């Protein structure tokens, strides 16, 4: 996250004068997509090897992380609270750009949230890595002509890799769902089933949510495997 935000912030300043050609901008974006894909791949491989079984020795407090994300040498309010977890709420999530208003975080975020990491959390992170890496591989499989805006499938092997990764992400998501439902402890959970009162996931998940989650995965895996058509 730090490398992406720094790259975007510095690049925006560097190209603010409009001196770069569309081809140069395209080449720079493609270069960064490949760097991010490689970063994701390395982390994904490590996550695939993790087997915590019943251990929850690692505890994370994201609201206390302080990271200079844009690389300007200062940690601003939005950077100091970027990883903080929103307080639990009902209804739809409220997505917004990062704020420099400290009171906003005091009102709407739990800055002292602690997560006791278990295997379900590892699967949660792994599934996101597989999905995002697959999406980026899908993008890089195609070439865009900046003059005619024609799109060409230039790297079929990357498209096959994207299909594999997204399929793995769907399978991991089902393992995650079943892993959460099977938990019997209740210790500073991230994702939690309805019987776990200590879950800090911003949106409470009910039994019906887990059922819908499973049904969606069945349909998506059928599409991904070509057994159903969209």
């Amino acid at each position: 996250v730090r490398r992406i935000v720094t790259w975007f912030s510095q690049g925006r300043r560097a190209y603010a004068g409009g001196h770069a050609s569309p081809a140069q901008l395209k080449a720079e974006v493609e270069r960064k997509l490949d760097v991010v894909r490689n970063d994701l791949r390395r982390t994904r491989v490590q996550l695939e090897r993790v087997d915590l079984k019943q251990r929850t020795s690692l505890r994370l407090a994201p609201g206390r992380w302080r990271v200079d994300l844009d690389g300007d040498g200062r940690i601003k309010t939005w950077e100091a609270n970027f990883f903080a977890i929103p307080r639990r709420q009902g209804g739809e999530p409220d997505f917004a750009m990062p704020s420099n208003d400290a009171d906003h975080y005091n009102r709407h975020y739990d800055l002292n949230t602690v997560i006791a990491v278990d295997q379900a959390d590892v699967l949660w992170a792994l599934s996101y890595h597989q999905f995002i890496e697959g999406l980026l591989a899908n993008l890089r499989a195609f070439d865009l002509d900046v003059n005619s805006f024609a799109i060409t499938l230039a790297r079929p092997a990357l498209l096959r890799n994207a299909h594999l990764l997204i399929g793995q992400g769907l399978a991991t998501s089902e393992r995650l769902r079943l892993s959460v439902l099977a938990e019997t402890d209740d210790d500073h959970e991230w994702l939690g089933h309805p019987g776990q009162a200590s879950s800090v996931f911003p949106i409470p998940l009910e039994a019906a949510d887990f059922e819908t989650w499973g049904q969606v995965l069945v349909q998506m895996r059928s599409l991904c495997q070509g057994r159903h058509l969209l």
Side-chain angles (χ1 to χ4, degrees), residues 1-4 32-46 129 133 136:
V1 172
R2 181 177 63 243
R3 284 195 290 270
I4 293 172
K32 190 60 181 179
L33 287 177
D34 288 337
V35 169
V36 173
R37 279 198 309 116
N38 195 46
D39 286 344
L40 287 168
R41 180 191 59 78
R42 286 201 303 267
T43 308
R44 171 179 57 79
V45 169
Q46 295 303 319
H129 275 72
E133 187 184 348
L136 295 182

Side-chain angles (χ1 to χ4, degrees), residues 149-196:
F149 291 100
I151 298 175
T152 305
L153 175 58
R155 289 165 284 277
L158 270 183
L159 194 61
R160 288 191 290 271
N161 180 240
H163 183 266
L164 175 65
L165 286 165
I166 292 171
Q168 291 173 340
L170 293 171
T172 302
S173 186
E174 175 63 4
R175 289 171 58 202
L176 163 62
R177 187 180 76 91
L178 296 176
S179 178
V180 172
L181 288 172
E183 290 183 356
T184 57
D185 60 345
D186 193 6
D187 177 26
H188 292 88
E189 307 294 335
W190 172 230
L191 277 181
H193 59 64
Q196 292 174 307

Side-chain angles (χ1 to χ4, degrees), residues 76-185:
K76 295 172 283 298
T77 299
W78 71 269
E79 292 172 303
N81 296 282
F82 186 84
F83 296 101
I85 307 298
R87 297 183 189 277
R88 301 200 81 185
Q89 62 180 19
E92 295 296 320
D94 181 20
F95 296 106
M97 293 296 291
S99 170
N100 267 320
D101 178 10
D103 287 338
H104 169 76
Y105 294 100
N106 291 327
R107 290 193 307 270
H108 300 293
Y109 288 73
D110 187 348
L111 303 181
N112 296 310
T113 291
V114 173
I115 300 168
V117 177
D118 55 27
Q119 188 62 24
D121 302 325
V122 175
L123 294 173
W124 180 83
L126 176 57
S127 65
Y128 269 96
H129 275 72
Q130 290 165 328
F131 285 135
I132 298 173
E133 187 184 348
L135 173 62
L136 295 182
N138 191 88
L139 287 174
R140 291 294 289 123
F142 295 88
D143 264 348
L144 169 67
D145 187 314
V146 294
N147 296 313
S148 65
F149 291 100
I151 298 175
T152 305
L153 175 58
R155 289 165 284 277
L158 270 183
L159 194 61
R160 288 191 290 271
N161 180 240
H163 183 266
L164 175 65
L165 286 165
I166 292 171
Q168 291 173 340
L170 293 171
T172 302
S173 186
E174 175 63 4
R175 289 171 58 202
L176 163 62
R177 187 180 76 91
L178 296 176
S179 178
V180 172
L181 288 172
E183 290 183 356
T184 57
D185 60 345

